[in-house]
Amino acid sequence: MKSSQTKKLCLAAILCAVAVIGSLFSFPVLGSKCAPVQHTVNILCAVLLGPWYGVGVAFSASLIRNLFGIGSLMAFPGSMLGALLCGLIYRYTRNIPLTLLAEVFGTAVLGGLCAYPVAIFFLGKSAGEIAFYAYMFPFLVSTVGGAVLSTVFILALEKGGLLAQADCDQTIKE
């Protein structure tokens, strides 16, 4: 059991590093910056590690990005809510398409809505006035890109038989 926890912690640390480094790569889509790596990591955490590790990785990656000045405070609600929702959906359904939709909904809709009070509290009222409209679309663009990218990784894991092995590890109490 201890070796399983160590493996999970090591994988979580690797995925956190991937999320931080991956945040340096983005591309424009319809006037929005698409940075899909964090969302890909959220979905991989949901499938491989479970919801609580996913939230921990999302929080850690957001914190590290902010400490290095390569992220914004809006990374916290978007990534953490997406990770939690897709992690819970996968844990209880084991349905990959539903998990992908949960990441998109959790990040784009719930995270976008939660970015509004964060923007008011930390960035001031003027930023808060535009936050309600300004965060949902960019979050949606990035999370859909991440869902597509993670589908490729999950299909590769399934083909290699590694996804079934990871599901066995999920039965261990978190």
Side-chain angles (χ1 to χ4, degrees):
M1 175 123 159
K2 190 166 187 127
S3 115
S4 175
Q5 288 294 91
T6 303
K7 287 179 186 176
K8 283 185 167 188
L9 193 57
C10 288
L11 182 56
I14 290 167
L15 288 171
C16 182
V18 167
V20 171
I21 298 300
S23 70
L24 298 173
F25 305 102
S26 65
F27 52 92
V29 175
L30 300 172
S32 175
K33 183 173 87 168
C34 180
V37 177
Q38 177 66 57
H39 311 291
T40 301
V41 167
N42 284 353
I43 294 166
L44 291 174
C45 282
V47 172
L48 300 174
L49 299 172
W52 310 119
Y53 277 93
V55 172
V57 167
F59 174 80
S60 299
S62 297
L63 181 63
I64 292 167
R65 287 194 315 258
N66 275 275
L67 290 173
F68 282 123
I70 56 175
S72 76
L73 291 173
M74 303 314 137
F76 287 100
S79 64
M80 291 173 63
L81 287 169
L84 178 63
L85 192 58
C86 75
L88 290 172
I89 293 296
Y90 185 77
R91 173 180 239 172
Y92 293 112
T93 67
R94 296 288 196 249
N95 183 318
I96 300 292
L98 198 56
T99 302
L100 299 173
L101 288 174
E103 166 63 22
V104 171
F105 182 78
T107 298
V109 177
L110 298 179
L113 289 173
C114 287
Y116 177 69
V118 170
I120 289 174
F121 185 73
F122 288 108
L123 304 176
K125 184 127 176 103
S126 61
E129 291 171 0
I130 64 159
F132 184 75
Y133 307 104
Y135 291 114
M136 288 180 77
F137 181 72
F139 284 7
L140 178 67
V141 170
S142 287
T143 193
V144 167
V148 170
L149 189 57
S150 65
T151 301
V152 172
F153 287 122
I154 290 171
L155 290 175
L157 289 172
E158 278 182 336
K159 188 174 182 178
L162 296 173
L163 192 58
Q165 186 179 5
D167 276 344
C168 293
D169 288 340
Q170 288 264 350
T171 58
I172 298 171
K173 299 225 187 269
E174 293 186 44

